[in-house]
């Protein structure tokens, strides 16, 4: 019993409510939002430190014992992701005033921003399946509001599809929860895992597991359910795209990791074997999308799909090395996608358009941004010694140990193509003839958050020796479901 | 009783899917509403429709109603209610801004 676990949910919620009282006073709202974000970051860091030194923090709300009441479970994986979420949110809070017009900021941007963090942290920390659905809805509600912020024609057009798809998959989620409740009589994740273990995951349970996978795959934008994602992530303001790209699809993949490392692990040849194929197809189709387009925001948005594919591949292979690779890659991808979306927004602002065919020679005006893009392309594709490399190395090592050669080849090839898709921006936009029509604009304040996130992901690569033991201890816990079950149910 | 309600949930799902596949925005919204109703009825039947006393621990009560599905449905209804109202506003704005409520014409094309 420790109230610490609820703080990463409560603090952003209260901050969002406080900021909703005076949306027009931007001089007050901006510094306040940064202070709240800092408090939240410190609390998340403290929670991370507590969990790694003393073990999982479990909060049984209202004093109801674990399987009966609502539990919040801050285990190692969840707190690591909550901490990463808060780092990205802090970078976005720094970037927001420069990226958004005053009018958009006044339309309750910061409130919705904090509600989004509430939902994401809640989805990571919750210990029962129905509350996961509720927190999904909390974050989706905030994202619906953010995606239409400004109300452009194209934003409205894309957001309506986004809302329909997410609503449909949410309703399927409720149906899947109902199935689980009907079959097992509980919605508490630890108890579900225990009961599935007792009956050795019979046919109906595997079916429900695949239904759940379908729901999470829609949220995570996996093949073949990704069609809604690239356009709707490319249309809103860059800071909102950065938040979405870094957090929303990752909540979906986190749920897959949680459910398929804890509950449905007794028929690995059916479920996890399927994941490897879906992961491979996600890589192929995502990267084809990224290469096919000339819109820089769309290129970055399409790059989410192969990254999610890589993470899913680790779950599909499911051994110690590949699961740590997945976790490493997940954190790396959150950092790099956040910075890449902000970078794409900055480039589009500097060039005046996001269409690659309409500008060139940007490096004459903005050399620093050019090199930032160049290095982030390297980080994304996994060139050693950056963070993407460590994650991919672990993943491929795990896959080779399991003799899944096809997925290793697909993974290596798609890494090359990922590098190509980023270099395409560099070659077409930054090299070439100096474009005389471009008027240099001040990019004050936009660079700092991007550099912050990139520096962190470079540190994740160079300081791998420092970070890897933590990731390894997470994956050790993940492949032994008993650790989680015992921590929650205690007996 | 459970059997009848399951069939009703199935009918709701079927009509919901039919409406979701239409091109007119308002019909799709009606489809999502029906879908959520189907899902709620489904939770209720999955918790088994036991008839008995309210779930309060007291002497002499052996048969009692399962409170959990009702709590889940209540939460879910509130959420779907909120989203439906948001969807109606969003659909109205989309239709006026784009001058059409036909999903066929609301398709995006690349590079704009």
């Amino acid at each position: 019993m420790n109230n610490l676990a609820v703080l990463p949910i409560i603090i952003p919620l209260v901050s969002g409510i406080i900021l909703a009282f005076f949306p027009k006073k931007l001089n007050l709202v901006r510094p306040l939002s940064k202070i709240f974000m800092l408090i939240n970051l410190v609390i998340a860091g403290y929670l991370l430190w507590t969990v790694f030194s003393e073990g999982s923090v479990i909060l049984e709300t209202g004093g109801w014992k674990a399987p009966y009441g609502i539990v919040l479970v801050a285990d190692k994986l969840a707190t690591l992701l909550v901490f990463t979420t808060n780092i990205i949110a802090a970078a976005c809070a720094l970037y927001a005033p420069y990226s958004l017009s005053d009018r958009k900021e006044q339309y309750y941007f910061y409130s919705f921003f904090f509600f989004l963090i509430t939902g994401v942290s809640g989805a990571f920390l919750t210990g029962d399946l129905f509350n996961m659905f509720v927190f999904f809805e909390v974050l989706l509600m905030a994202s619906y509001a953010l995606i239409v912020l400004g109300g452009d024609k194209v934003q409205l057009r894309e957001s309506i599809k986004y809302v329909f798809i997410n609503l449909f998959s949410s309703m399927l989620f409720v149906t899947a929860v109902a199935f689980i409740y009907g079959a097992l009589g509980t919605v508490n994740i630890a108890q579900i895992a225990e009961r599935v273990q007792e009956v050795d995951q019979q046919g109906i349970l595997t079916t429900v597991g695949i239904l759940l996978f379908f729901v999470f795959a829609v949220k995570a934008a996996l093949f073949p359910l990704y069609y809604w994602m690239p356009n709707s992530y490319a249309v809103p303001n860059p800071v909102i795209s950065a938040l979405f790209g870094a957090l929303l699809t990752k909540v979906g993949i986190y749920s897959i990791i949680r459910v398929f490392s804890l509950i449905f692990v007794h028929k690995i040849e059916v479920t996890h074997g399927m994941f490897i194929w879906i992961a491979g197809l996600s890589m192929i189709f995502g990267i084809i999308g990224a290469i096919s387009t000339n819109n820089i925001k769309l290129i970055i948005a399409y790059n989410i799909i192969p990254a999610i594919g890589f993470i899913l591949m680790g779950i599909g292979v499911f051994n110690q090395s590949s699961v740590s690779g997945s976790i490493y890659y997940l954190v790396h991808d959150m950092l790099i996608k956040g910075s890449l979306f902000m970078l794409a927004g900055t480039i589009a602002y500097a060039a005046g358009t996001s269409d690659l065919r309409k500008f060139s020679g940007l490096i004459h005006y903005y050399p620093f941004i050019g090199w930032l893009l160049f290095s982030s392309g390297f980080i994304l594709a996994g060139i050693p010694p950056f963070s993407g490399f460590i994650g991919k190395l672990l993943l491929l090592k795990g896959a080779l140990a399991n003799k899944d050669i096809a997925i290793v080849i697909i993974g290596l090839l798609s890494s090359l193509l990922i590098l190509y898709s980023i270099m395409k921006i560099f070659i077409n936009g930054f090299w070439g003839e100096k474009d005389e029509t471009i008027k240099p604009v001040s990019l004050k304040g936009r660079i700092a958050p991007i550099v912050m996130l990139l520096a962190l992901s470079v540190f994740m690569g160079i300081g791998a020796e420092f970070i890897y033991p933590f990731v390894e201890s997470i994956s050790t816990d993940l492949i032994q479901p008993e650790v989680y079950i015992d921590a929650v149910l205690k007996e | 009783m459970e059997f009848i309600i399951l069939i009703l949930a199935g009918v709701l799902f079927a009509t919901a899917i039919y409406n979701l596949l239409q091109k007119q925005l308002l019909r799709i919204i009606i489809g999502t509403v029906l879908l959520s109703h189907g899902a709620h009825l489904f939770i209720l039947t999955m918790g088994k429709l036991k008839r008995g006393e309210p779930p309060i621990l007291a002497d002499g009560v052996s048969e009692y109603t399962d409170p959990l599905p009702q709590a889940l449905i209540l939460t879910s209804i509130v959420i779907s209610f909120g989203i439906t109202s948001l969807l109606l506003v969003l659909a109205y704005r989309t239709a006026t801004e784009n001058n059409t409520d036909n999903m066929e014409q609301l398709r995006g094309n690349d590079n704009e």
Side-chain angles (χ1 to χ4, degrees):
Chain A
M1 187 73 180
N2 193 336
N3 282 330
L4 196 58
V6 81
L7 288 181
I9 305 172
I10 289 289
I11 294 170
L13 182 65
V14 173
S15 322
I17 293 169
I18 292 173
L19 293 177
F21 282 119
F22 31 80
K24 307 278 179 204
K25 295 196 176 73
L26 284 180
N27 289 333
L28 190 64
V29 168
R30 282 176 189 157
L32 262 184
S33 67
K34 277 163 200 150
I35 292 168
F36 287 142
M37 208 55 248
L38 193 69
I39 296 172
N40 205 17
L41 189 62
V42 170
I43 296 279
Y46 178 66
L47 180 64
L48 187 70
W49 182 75
T50 318
V51 167
F52 270 97
S53 56
E54 289 163 27
S56 304
V57 176
I58 287 148
L59 174 65
E60 291 159 337
T61 48
W64 287 72
K65 282 278 163 254
Y68 305 111
I70 294 169
V71 274
L72 294 174
V73 184
D75 71 333
K76 288 173 183 169
L77 176 64
T79 37
L80 179 71
L81 292 177
V82 167
F83 184 63
T84 322
T85 301
N86 279 305
I87 290 175
I88 287 150
C92 287
L94 289 177
Y95 189 79
Y98 302 99
S99 165
L100 292 157
S101 61
D102 284 1
R103 196 176 66 88
K104 283 187 183 173
E105 262 177 300
Q106 281 169 352
Y107 275 106
Y108 301 93
F109 167 76
Y110 290 104
S111 298
F112 288 124
F113 169 78
F114 279 109
F115 292 149
L116 187 76
I117 308 295
T118 311
V120 173
S121 306
F124 287 147
L125 288 174
T126 181
D128 79 57
L129 217 49
F130 190 78
N131 267 2
M132 195 183 258
F133 159 74
V134 173
F135 279 116
F136 268 38
E137 290 308 310
V138 170
L139 74 90
L140 286 173
M141 274 293 200
S143 76
Y144 299 154
L146 283 174
I147 206 169
V148 285
L149 198 72
D152 292 342
K153 206 172 168 178
V154 62
Q155 271 180 316
L156 285 164
R157 198 190 67 203
E158 294 304 330
S159 69
I160 195 109
K161 295 170 213 163
Y162 175 79
V163 177
F164 280 138
I165 293 281
N166 277 303
L167 187 54
F168 182 70
S169 68
S170 293
M171 283 307 135
L172 281 185
F173 194 178
V174 173
T175 316
V177 171
F179 266 125
I180 285 188
Y181 187 72
L184 300 166
T186 178
V187 286
N188 182 297
I189 294 177
Q191 207 180 12
I192 293 171
E194 201 180 46
R195 293 197 175 163
V196 170
Q197 204 169 19
E198 277 165 15
V199 298
D200 200 33
Q201 195 181 340
Q202 285 163 351
I204 179 79
L205 291 173
T206 312
T207 316
V208 175
I210 289 175
L211 183 60
L212 266 184
F213 172 74
F214 177 82
V215 170
F216 297 142
V218 172
K219 313 267 185 203
L222 277 162
F223 175 84
L225 306 161
Y226 63 82
Y227 43 85
W228 56 273
M229 191 271 285
N231 271 319
S232 50
Y233 279 21
V235 289
N237 201 279
V239 61
I240 297 166
S241 303
L243 268 177
F244 283 15
L247 304 179
L248 294 196
T249 50
K250 307 310 183 281
V251 177
I253 197 78
Y254 162 80
S255 314
I256 293 178
I257 294 180
R258 178 58 85 215
V259 167
F260 285 92
S261 72
L262 188 65
I263 303 175
F264 303 105
V265 286
H266 308 286
K267 290 276 186 293
I268 283 190
E269 66 284 356
V270 180
T271 49
H272 293 53
M274 180 184 79
F275 292 172
I276 296 179
W277 287 107
I278 290 179
L281 289 167
S282 302
M283 289 175 204
I284 296 169
F285 280 83
I287 202 62
I288 288 174
I291 292 171
S292 70
T293 174
N294 275 311
N295 183 335
I296 49 176
K297 289 178 183 169
L298 268 182
I299 293 178
I300 311 292
Y302 268 113
N303 261 315
I304 294 175
I305 303 162
I308 298 284
F310 271 110
I311 301 165
L312 184 72
M313 165 190 157
I315 307 304
V317 175
F318 207 59
N319 55 28
Q320 167 97 46
S321 170
S322 74
V323 172
S324 7
S326 280
I327 295 158
Y328 216 97
Y329 206 83
L330 180 57
V331 175
H332 144 82
D333 198 59
M334 286 168 90
L335 292 171
I336 190 73
K337 285 286 142 54
S339 62
L340 265 175
F341 270 109
M342 287 194 239
L343 201 56
T346 310
I347 294 168
Y349 173 74
T353 170
S354 62
D355 192 339
L356 270 180
R357 289 168 298 193
K358 288 185 184 147
F359 67 93
S360 69
L362 218 57
I363 202 147
H364 297 287
Y365 299 100
Y366 308 102
F368 189 59
I369 294 190
W371 295 116
L372 276 184
L373 182 73
F374 191 75
S375 50
S376 61
F378 272 31
I379 297 172
L380 185 71
I383 305 290
F386 296 125
S387 55
F389 172 70
I390 313 283
K392 268 178 197 161
L393 183 71
L394 289 167
L395 281 170
L396 298 181
K397 210 172 91 183
L400 277 178
N402 245 21
K403 301 212 167 45
D404 290 313
I405 308 295
I407 193 77
V408 172
I409 294 168
I410 293 173
L412 288 172
L413 273 180
S414 68
S415 301
L416 276 181
L417 292 174
I418 288 171
L419 186 64
Y420 169 69
S421 71
I422 300 294
M423 285 306 133
K424 190 176 152 188
I425 305 179
F426 195 76
I427 292 167
N428 291 347
F430 282 88
W431 287 354
E433 289 290 304
K434 188 173 178 179
D435 194 342
E436 300 296 342
T437 56
I438 292 174
K439 303 217 169 17
V441 282
S442 160
L443 297 177
K444 186 177 77 64
R446 288 170 185 250
I447 307 290
I450 301 172
V451 173
M452 189 181 105
L453 289 185
L454 279 182
L456 269 176
S457 69
V458 169
F459 171 72
M460 271 188 72
I462 295 169
E465 260 181 42
F466 174 71
I467 294 170
Y468 181 67
F470 296 105
V471 174
E472 198 185 19
S473 81
I474 295 175
S475 66
T476 317
D477 283 5
L478 274 185
I479 52 179
Q480 296 171 301
E482 297 80 31
V483 178
Y484 184 94
I485 298 170
D486 291 346
V488 177
L489 299 177
K490 283 189 200 93
E491 284 87 34
Chain B
M1 188 63 185
E2 272 145 25
F3 199 66
I4 299 168
I5 293 198
L6 268 181
I7 290 172
L8 179 60
V11 170
L12 279 173
F13 270 117
T15 37
I17 300 290
Y18 174 76
N19 275 303
L20 280 176
L21 295 174
Q22 301 300 302
K23 282 175 190 144
Q24 209 185 337
L25 266 177
L26 198 59
R27 275 177 183 264
I28 301 176
I29 295 174
I30 292 169
T32 59
V33 173
L34 289 175
L35 189 69
S36 62
H37 286 326
H40 300 155
L41 271 183
F42 195 63
I43 304 179
L44 196 66
T45 37
M46 276 296 162
K48 300 213 176 55
L49 299 167
K50 276 176 259 178
R51 267 183 282 178
E53 303 291 316
I56 299 167
L57 207 58
D59 285 336
V61 176
S62 55
E63 281 268 300
Y64 58 89
T65 320
D66 189 355
L68 194 74
Q70 297 176 9
L72 301 189
I73 293 168
L74 202 58
T75 318
S76 185
I77 285 175
V78 172
I79 288 169
S80 68
F81 173 67
I83 293 184
T84 307
S85 52
L86 178 103
L87 254 179
L88 285 169
V89 176
L90 199 63
Y92 174 72
R93 280 272 286 153
T94 311
T96 47
E97 199 83 10
N98 288 287
N99 290 323
T100 175
D101 70 338
N102 189 332
M103 286 306 271
E104 201 72 23
Q105 285 158 18
L106 287 170
R107 271 190 189 169
N109 46 334
D110 242 352
N111 302 322
E112 54 187 340

